[in-house]
Amino acid sequence: MQRRAHTRACTLTATSIVTGLALASAPAIAAGATEADPASLPKNVILMISDGAGYNQFDAASLYEHGTSAHQVTVDPETGAIAHEAATPGQAYETWPVQVAQSHYSASGRAEYVTEKAWGDFDWVASGATDSAAAGTALGTGVKTNNGTLGFEPGGDRLLTVGEQAQEVGKKVGLVTSVPFNHATPAGFIAHNADRNDYQGLAAEMIDSGVDVLMGGGHPMYTDGHQSRAADWTWIAQNDYERVSTGATPYSFIDDRADFEALAAGTAVPEKVFGLAQVAETLQYNRPGLANDAVLPYTDPANDVPDLDTLARGALNVLDTGDEGFFLMVEGGAVDWAGHANQTTRLIEEQIAFNDAVEAVEAWVEENSSWDETLVVVTADHETGYLAGAGAGPEAGWTPMTGTAGQLPDLTWHSGGHTNALVPLFAKGAGAEVLEARADQWDVVRGAYLDNTAIGETIFDFLGHGERSSADAVALEATVAGHQAEGALSLSVAGHGERVSFSGSGEGLDATLPLVTVADTRNEVRAQGRGWTLAGSATDFVAGNRTLAAENLAWTPRVIRSESGAAAGGRATLEAPATLAAADRTSRLGATVVGADLDLSIPAEAAGGRYGSEITLTLFAQD
């Protein structure tokens, strides 16, 4: 925008220059999923969760497998300096078209994510984090809840889960995990319980929920080393185990590896499957050798049980037996267990097992479906263990992990619990762009991010609504645009076309700068973490061939009013750009009106005359 006026003593030119607003992949569609062409909505939704995996857990596996990483950074909390390491994708999903970050705080924890605090204080993310129950509920219902709670609001009201809604619209539902089948994350998509540790109660509800596939660990008759034992009813009550294992429910029961592999191969595909791998809790993580946390992955002999990719392929074969479509959640649950124990060797094993499951799902889509009808989302529910590079800590800040293929990466752990650090989200297929559009918040290191509730909300939008409740009912559906406009950063000068004249005599002349208004309506992604600075500089005063240098002109800025809490610049001469006002990213929004007192010093040797000059105002995005 340019405002220009010919004045008797001083011409003001206001130029609005907004830099740094170009996005590599700017959200381009409305956030309401149903605003897209219905034909482009996914028939199938597959959500894959690496429980406890932050950016560094994803990279640790790639460093071991390939010697490459895609998300490493150096951040100095003292100076705020950020340096991104060269990124080399090691996994197929790291080349997918949608790549954003995700926040996941619970209602009862810290209950916020603040980018300046997260990267300005090494210890900030290490406390007040969500647990898997609250995170699973947010992902599975689109609503925040308290830690330890599944399927209920903080006030106690029951929440509708995406699993229940999928059933309502006639889709099949599958829940698959590498830890007990009724652990917090899978339970968050179908169950309701005020206590996430009521495993027998969760098992009963999930078995009776009507879902089509339940698979995971928690077998009462086996140890974590895949050895027979006397029955342990920690994860499932005896009567519920007997119901599912003897054919007293609609499920076909499988627990032998060969049966899982046959299901994955498609040679025996029943309508519903309850698959209980022959381990007490985890497919591989808890097997003998857990204390060996400095050996290379796969040093300790593996349990003779199916891998997560086998479970995923088997579930897909069951869910794809009809034309209605399905919702499938696949969890690499023991990545979290490794994070709690700071067990690097098994962390890498579990993340690789998760990656293998993603590859199996990707292959299934391309062989049996298409990206035009299936959406696959890869993410995590939270980060566990506070994984960072060598030397990281409160004083040094964040350092990159390094490593070579076939060796344990050079890394450090900084917690035995969950953290509030952002986690990655990758998406490909029908409707993926809706998730990108909902990533409308900005992190100074990871860039655009969405909250975990947006994932549940988006899945609900994709699922839509069921049939009319009766023949006399009239079905209604309204699409509410939830997209936040990208906004703009703009500048305007009052009194356009009017001349600014100096008054006074002798050694000094005075004038008042016309009021200047800065309006910042940018959303966080468009702003990219930047506030704004309004600066100005003047040309020399000229009267024919007579000149007064611009260094003789000074201003004293003042903020007249500001919705953003902007600060005025200091007194300065205007031969070079000087700040009129500025606002940081946390207080930039709204309108700010600024002015300034102008004073022109007249050198003793100055020749008399009618002098003219210009002040050029420049508005730019500023870190």
Side-chain angles (χ1 to χ4, degrees), residues 27-43:
I29 71 165
T34 52
E35 292 180 37
D37 179 357
S40 69
L41 297 179
K43 171 184 173 182

Side-chain angles (χ1 to χ4, degrees), residues 511-538:
T512 301
L513 187 75
L515 295 182
V516 181
T517 300
V518 175
D520 190 351
T521 60
R522 297 170 296 167
N523 67 12
E524 286 203 17
V525 174
R526 184 164 177 80
Q528 291 193 355
R530 298 180 177 186
W532 54 260
T533 296
L534 175 61
S537 61

Side-chain angles (χ1 to χ4, degrees), residues 165 168-170 464-477:
Q165 185 67 9
E168 175 67 21
V169 301
H465 306 89
E467 298 296 326
R468 293 176 298 170
S469 58
S470 71
D472 296 330
V474 177
L476 302 176
E477 184 169 274

Side-chain angles (χ1 to χ4, degrees), residues 336-357:
D336 175 68
W337 298 41
H340 281 296
N342 294 174
Q343 222 286 12
T344 303
T345 299
R346 302 245 166 132
L347 161 70
I348 292 170
E349 290 182 359
E350 293 299 326
Q351 185 61 39
I352 290 175
F354 176 79
N355 291 341
D356 289 344

